[in-house]
C-alpha cells in the first residue's frame, strides 16, 4: 500500500511526483511510474518529476474538472495510420497565447449520471490485457487531527471486504486471473488521491465485468466494521514500522521542514502510530462516507478492447447507480485545496543520523504550481528542461575536478502538491564537506543569473532535448496500458492539457528550434534563496550548523551583488577532430 515521502514524492511510508508516497518496506523514495527521459548526472539523481518530455504523463494543476461537463472524443476509424517520421514533422503556425487541447486525446470520456467520470482507450500493449483503475481525488491531506493514517486504512479495508465480496472472494478472483493481490500491489494512497488498480485479461468478457464490479464496490461499498478494522490494524502498523528506517525518518523530517506552515506537513499518508492503533471505527467510516462519493471519482479502462462503446456500457452498468452516503449539511460540496505559505528568507535544517551513508546538501525553492495550458506554457517548460540539462552538465564537470567540493550534483524540478512545485539542487559530498558543497551549488546558479549560458551549451541542451522528443515520438506506439491509465488519472485529478503525442511532439519541436539563451537564463531566477527556499544538510555526525549555512548564503549573495563571480570556463573542444585527413592506403 502506498502513501508520502521526501520532497517531490510521498510514498506508503503505504511521491507523480510528484507527490510523495511511501513504500511498504520504507526503502528508498521512489516516484510514481512515468516515462521520463531524465539525464543521469549522478547515481543519486532523481527521475525528473512530471517531465515535460514524458510520452504520456501530464502535469498537475490546481483546477478540478466540473462534474457536469461532458466531452466525448470519437476515435478515428480503424485503418492503418500514415506513419510520419520525426524529421518530417513540419513546424506549426501557433501564437504564444493559443490554448492547448483540453480534452484527453485518444479516449472516450465523459460523466455518468451520478457525477463519476470515465476514460476508455484502446491499447494493445500488452495484448489481450486491460489496465483498470478507480481514482478518488481524496488523500491523506483531507484527514483531520486524530485521523492521520485513516485514508490509508480505508484503502486497506477495501481489500478486506465490501458489500458483495469478502477477502477470500477477492483473493480467489485476483489469483485466478494471475494478478497480484493486496493493497500494496493493487492500490496506493497519496496526499491528494487514492487509486485502485487491476490488470486483467480481456479474452473472457466475464472477467472484465467482474473486475469492474470490484472497483465499483470499492467506490461506495467498502465494509468498514469494527471487526474489519481490528483485523487490518496489524498490517498497517507493520507498514508504519517498516517505514521507520533511516530513509523513512529522513523523508519525514525533510517533508515537515519543507512544507512547514501548511496542512501537508503533518499529513504523510503512512499516518501516525497512535492513530493507527486506536482510531475508532466510526471515525474511519465517517471519513469514507464523507469523501468517497461518485463526483470525487473517475474510472479508467485502457486495454486491448474490441469495442470501446461496449466497455462504456459496462462501466455505466457497474457504476452509474452508485451513490454517495448522505452526510448531511457538513459534507463539503467541493474538494478543498490547502495553501503552502511562501517565505522570503531561507529556512535551514541540519539533519543528523548515524545511519546516513553519505553527507548531502539539498537546496529547494518552492513556487506555485503552474499547468501547461497555452503554447507559451509549453515554451517555458522547454526552457526549464534545457536549463536543467545545461546546469547538470556544469555540475558534472565540477564534480570531476581534482579539488571538487562534491562527488555528484544534480538539479531537478518536481511536484510537491497539487498547487505547489519546487526547483531543487542536490549534491553528495565527503563528511564535513557540506558547507563547501552548498557554496559551490549557490555559486553555479548565481553564475548563470549573472552570465547565462554560451551558445554552445544551449545548442547541446537543445540537441539532447530534441533527441528525447524524438525517442518519445518514435516509441509512442509502445506505451503500455498501465502508463496510459496513469495519464488519464492525472488528467482527472488536475484537468491538465493532454494533447496527442503527435501534436505535442510537433509543437515542442516547433518551439524548441528558437528558444534563446536568454530564455533559459531567466529560469535560473527560480533557483534563488529568496524564492521560498529551504536548505538542508544530511550528515552521519553533526558538523554543519545553521549559522554556518547562513554565512555561506550571505557570502554568495554578496558576491553576486558585486559581480564577483567569473564567467563559466568552457571546455576547449575543437570543431574538427581531424583537420588533415591522412593519405588513403
Amino acid at each position: 500500500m502506498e502513501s508520502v515521502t521526501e520532497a517531490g514524492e510521498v510514498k506508503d511510508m503505504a511521491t507523480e511526483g510528484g507527490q510523495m508516497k511511501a513504500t511498504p518496506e520504507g526503502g528508498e523514495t521512489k516516484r510514481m511510474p512515468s516515462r521520463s527521459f531524465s539525464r543521469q548526472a549522478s547515481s543519486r539523481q532523481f527521475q525528473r518529476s512530471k517531465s515535460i518530455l514524458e510520452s504520456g504523463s501530464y502535469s498537475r494543476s490546481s483546477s478540478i474538472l466540473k462534474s457536469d461537463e461532458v466531452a466525448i472524443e470519437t476515435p478515428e476509424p480503424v485503418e492503418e495510420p500514415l506513419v510520419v517520421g520525426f524529421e518530417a514533422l513540419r513546424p506549426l503556425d501557433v501564437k504564444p497565447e493559443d490554448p492547448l487541447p483540453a480534452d484527453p486525446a485518444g479516449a472516450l470520456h465523459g460523466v455518468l449520471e451520478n457525477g463519476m467520470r470515465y476514460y476508455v482507450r484502446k491499447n494493445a500493449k500488452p495484448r489481450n490485457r486491460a489496465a483498470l483503475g478507480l481514482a478518488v481525488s481524496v488523500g491523506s491531506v483531507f484527514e483531520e487531527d486524530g485521523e492521520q493514517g485513516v485514508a490509508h486504512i480505508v484503502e486497506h479495508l477495501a481489500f478486506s471486504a465490501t458489500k458483495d465480496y469478502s477477502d477470500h472472494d477477492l483473493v480467489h478472483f485476483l489469483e485466478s486471473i494471475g494478478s497480484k493481490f493486496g493493497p500494496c500491489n493493487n492500490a496506493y494512497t497519496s496526499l491528494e488521491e487514492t487509486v485502485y488498480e487491476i490488470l486483467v485479461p480481456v479474452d473472457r468478457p466475464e472477467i472484465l465485468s467482474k473486475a469492474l464490479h470490484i472497483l465499483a464496490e470499492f467506490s461506495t461499498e467498502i465494509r468498514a466494521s469494527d471487526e474489519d478494522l481490528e483485523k487490518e490494524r496489524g498490517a498497517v502498523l507493520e507498514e508504519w514500522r517498516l517505514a521507520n528506517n533511516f530513509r523513512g525518518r529522513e523523508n519525514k523530517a525533510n517533508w515537515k521542514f519543507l512544507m512547514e506552515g501548511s496542512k501537508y506537513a503533518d499529513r504523510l499518508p503512512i499516518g501516525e502510530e497512535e492513530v493507527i492503533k486506536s482510531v475508532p471505527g466510526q471515525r474511519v467510516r465517517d471519513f469514507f462516507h464523507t469523501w468517497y462519493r461518485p463526483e470525487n471519482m473517475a474510472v479508467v479502462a485502457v486495454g486491448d478492447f474490441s469495442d470501446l462503446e461496449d466497455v462504456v456500457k459496462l462501466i455505466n452498468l457497474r457504476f452509474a447507480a452508485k451513490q454517495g452516503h448522505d452526510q448531511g449539511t457538513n459534507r463539503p460540496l467541493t474538494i478543498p485545496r490547502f495553501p503552502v505559505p511562501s517565505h522570503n528568507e531561507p529556512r535551514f535544517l541540519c539533519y543528523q543520523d548515524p545511519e546516513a551513508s553519505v553527507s548531502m546538501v539539498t537546496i529547494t525553492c518552492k513556487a506555485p504550481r503552474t499547468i501547461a495550458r497555452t503554447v507559451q506554457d509549453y515554451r517555458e517548460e522547454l526552457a526549464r528542461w534545457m536549463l536543467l540539462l545545461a546546469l547538470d552538465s556544469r555540475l558534472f564537470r565540477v564534480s570531476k575536478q581534482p579539488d571538487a567540493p562534491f562527488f555528484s550534483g544534480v538539479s531537478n524540478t518536481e511536484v510537491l502538491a497539487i498547487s505547489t512545485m519546487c526547483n531543487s539542487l542536490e549534491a553528495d559530498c565527503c563528511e564535513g564537506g557540506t558547507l563547501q558543497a552548498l557554496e559551490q551549488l549557490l555559486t553555479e546558479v548565481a553564475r548563470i543569473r549573472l552570465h547565462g549560458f554560451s551558445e554552445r551549451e544551449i545548442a547541446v541542451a537543445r540537441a539532447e532535448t530534441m533527441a528525447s522528443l524524438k525517442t518519445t515520438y518514435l516509441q509512442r506506439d509502445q506505451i503500455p496500458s498501465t502508463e496510459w491509465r496513469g495519464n488519464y488519472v492525472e488528467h482527472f485529478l488536475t484537468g491538465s492539457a493532454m494533447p496527442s503525442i503527435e501534436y505535442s511532439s510537433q509543437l515542442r519541436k516547433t518551439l524548441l528550434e528558437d528558444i534563446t539563451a536568454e530564455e533559459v537564463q531567466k529560469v535560473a531566477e527560480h533557483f534563488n534563496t529568496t524564492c521560498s527556499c529551504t536548505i538542508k544538510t544530511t550528515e552521519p555526525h553533526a558538523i554543519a550548523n545553521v549559522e554556518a549555512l547562513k554565512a555561506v548564503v550571505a557570502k554568495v549573495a554578496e558576491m553576486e551583488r558585486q559581480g564577483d563571480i567569473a564567467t563559466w570556463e568552457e571546455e576547449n573542444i575543437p570543431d574538427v577532430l581531424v583537420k588533415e585527413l591522412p593519405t588513403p592506403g
Side-chain angles (χ1 to χ4, degrees):
M1 188 166 291
E2 304 177 317
S3 3
V4 186
T5 62
E6 179 174 48
E9 316 164 288
V10 184
K11 296 178 18 171
D12 270 358
M13 289 185 343
T15 224
E16 91 251 44
Q19 286 193 17
M20 296 165 59
K21 292 191 295 184
T23 58
E25 296 80 5
E28 291 287 335
T29 300
K30 298 186 292 185
R31 298 192 186 287
M32 298 176 68
S34 67
R35 299 184 76 251
S36 174
F37 294 94
S38 313
R39 182 176 185 275
Q40 296 297 324
S42 77
S43 60
R44 287 185 51 83
Q45 177 169 5
F46 289 128
Q47 184 184 59
R48 297 239 189 269
S49 175
K50 306 301 179 188
S51 161
I52 57 172
L53 301 181
E54 293 172 6
S55 65
S57 197
Y58 297 87
S59 303
R60 293 195 170 183
S61 88
S62 57
S63 67
I64 296 298
L65 295 174
K66 299 178 181 178
S67 61
D68 58 350
E69 294 176 346
V70 181
I72 296 180
E73 179 178 329
T74 304
E76 294 293 329
V78 179
E79 59 183 26
E80 287 298 321
L82 176 63
V83 179
V84 178
F86 183 76
E87 289 76 9
L89 293 177
R90 296 180 179 180
L92 293 172
D93 183 13
V94 292
K95 301 181 181 64
E97 64 274 13
D98 287 348
L100 299 173
D103 289 339
L108 284 176
H109 60 104
V111 182
L112 303 178
E113 292 181 0
N114 59 3
M116 184 181 294
R117 291 190 169 272
Y118 66 85
Y119 300 81
V120 180
R121 180 189 180 99
K122 180 175 177 59
N123 188 64
K125 299 292 180 179
R127 293 182 61 83
N128 298 320
R129 293 291 184 273
L132 309 179
L134 175 70
V136 187
S137 57
V138 172
S140 59
V141 76
F142 294 86
E143 300 163 346
E144 300 300 332
D145 291 340
E147 293 180 347
Q148 294 94 322
V150 167
H152 184 197
I153 290 173
V154 170
E155 178 204 324
H156 269 263
L157 289 172
F159 292 89
S160 175
T162 66
K163 178 182 177 182
D164 291 344
Y165 296 97
S166 70
D167 53 353
H168 298 294
D169 295 329
L170 292 172
V171 170
H172 178 73
F173 170 69
L174 291 170
E175 287 182 345
S176 70
I177 63 174
S179 177
K180 292 183 179 180
F181 169 77
C184 301
N185 296 311
N186 299 104
Y188 70 84
T189 298
S190 192
L191 284 167
E192 291 156 320
E193 76 265 14
T194 304
V195 181
Y196 302 89
E197 302 168 332
I198 303 178
L199 184 66
V200 300
V202 295
D203 50 351
R204 292 163 53 194
E206 66 273 14
I207 292 180
L208 177 61
S209 178
K210 187 169 183 178
L212 288 172
H213 186 199
I214 290 174
L215 291 179
E217 289 282 292
F218 289 171
S219 67
T220 58
E221 306 295 345
I222 296 175
R223 198 179 74 190
S225 67
D226 291 349
E227 181 182 357
D228 294 323
L229 176 58
E230 291 306 317
K231 288 193 299 184
E232 284 300 319
R233 287 190 199 272
V236 179
L237 276 171
E238 183 60 21
E239 289 187 18
W240 183 91
R241 295 188 186 101
L242 289 171
N244 198 32
N245 58 7
F246 159 67
R247 183 59 62 193
R249 295 192 300 271
E250 183 196 24
N251 286 338
K252 184 175 182 179
N254 182 67
W255 184 252
K256 291 174 70 71
F257 167 61
L258 190 64
M259 305 300 278
E260 180 182 345
S262 73
K263 191 176 180 181
Y264 294 97
D266 298 310
R267 291 299 184 272
L268 287 174
I270 194 61
E272 298 292 339
E273 182 181 21
E274 287 306 313
V275 173
I276 298 170
K277 286 181 177 179
S278 60
V279 63
Q282 188 57 50
R283 198 150 190 185
V284 176
R285 290 188 289 273
D286 287 346
F287 182 90
F288 171 63
H289 292 158
T290 298
W291 297 111
Y292 273 57
R293 302 183 60 84
E295 60 267 32
N296 297 340
M297 299 177 180
V299 58
V300 181
V302 182
D304 194 9
F305 305 123
S306 57
D307 190 320
L308 297 186
E309 292 289 354
D310 286 346
V311 179
V312 173
K313 291 177 182 178
L314 195 54
I315 288 174
N316 264 288
L317 175 66
R318 293 303 191 188
F319 289 89
K322 297 296 182 183
Q323 298 296 327
H325 298 263
D326 186 10
Q327 291 297 297
T329 57
N330 293 327
R331 182 179 65 82
L333 298 179
T334 58
I335 292 291
R337 293 299 170 214
F338 305 96
V340 178
S342 60
H343 49 96
N344 294 326
E345 294 297 321
R347 296 172 180 169
F348 302 90
L349 173 66
C350 296
Y351 182 80
Q352 181 268 327
D353 193 306
E355 292 186 32
S357 59
V358 67
S359 295
M360 183 170 62
V361 60
T362 306
I363 305 168
T364 305
C365 299
K366 299 186 293 290
R369 177 68 193 283
T370 56
I371 188 70
R373 298 191 180 281
T374 67
V375 170
Q376 180 61 26
D377 293 333
Y378 257 29
R379 187 180 186 94
E380 291 174 2
E381 285 189 345
L382 284 168
R384 184 183 304 117
W385 176 259
M386 291 174 65
L387 175 121
L388 297 177
L389 290 173
L391 177 53
D392 281 359
S393 180
R394 288 190 177 185
L395 296 178
F396 179 78
R397 277 192 58 196
V398 170
S399 70
K400 298 307 175 185
Q401 295 174 358
D403 55 347
F406 49 73
F407 305 134
S408 63
V410 62
S411 60
N412 200 9
T413 294
E414 49 194 330
V415 176
L416 298 178
I418 203 165
S419 61
T420 307
M421 61 175 289
C422 73
N423 302 291
S424 63
L425 293 165
E426 183 177 88
D428 296 342
C429 58
C430 62
E431 188 170 355
T434 53
L435 295 180
Q436 293 82 358
L438 173 62
E439 181 175 345
Q440 189 70 51
L441 290 176
L442 293 174
T443 299
E444 291 310 323
V445 290
R447 194 191 315 276
I448 295 169
R449 288 193 293 268
L450 286 174
H451 307 293
F453 293 105
S454 68
E455 287 301 326
R456 178 185 171 277
E457 289 177 296
I458 295 300
V460 171
R462 180 180 289 111
E464 288 191 40
T465 306
M466 192 71 78
S468 294
L469 288 175
K470 181 177 180 180
T471 300
T472 300
Y473 180 79
L474 295 178
Q475 295 180 349
R476 65 193 184 280
D477 294 329
Q478 304 303 314
I479 299 174
S481 295
T482 52
E483 186 170 325
W484 280 118
R485 176 180 61 193
N487 297 338
Y488 291 121
V489 167
E490 187 74 12
H491 182 272
F492 160 68
L493 294 171
T494 68
S496 55
M498 192 174 172
S500 68
I501 295 178
E502 291 80 4
Y503 174 81
S504 60
S505 297
Q506 191 172 8
L507 176 58
R508 285 169 172 150
K509 182 182 178 184
T510 300
L511 299 174
L512 187 60
E513 297 288 355
D514 61 350
I515 289 179
T516 64
E518 290 73 23
E519 289 179 88
V520 178
Q521 179 184 6
K522 184 179 178 180
V523 180
E525 296 295 336
H526 301 296
F527 287 80
N528 203 309
T529 54
T530 59
C531 298
S532 298
C533 180
T534 61
I535 297 175
K536 184 194 72 163
T537 60
T538 301
E539 298 176 298
H541 305 97
I543 297 177
N545 59 71
V546 171
E547 291 305 316
L549 297 178
K550 289 181 177 179
V552 171
V553 171
K555 174 184 176 181
V556 177
E558 181 60 25
M559 291 169 60
E560 184 176 1
R561 278 192 293 270
Q562 297 295 330
D564 289 340
I565 300 175
T567 58
W568 177 256
E569 294 184 9
E570 286 220 62
E571 294 179 284
N572 184 21
I573 300 177
D575 294 330
V576 179
L577 296 180
V578 181
K579 293 184 178 180
E580 296 183 7
L581 295 177
T583 302

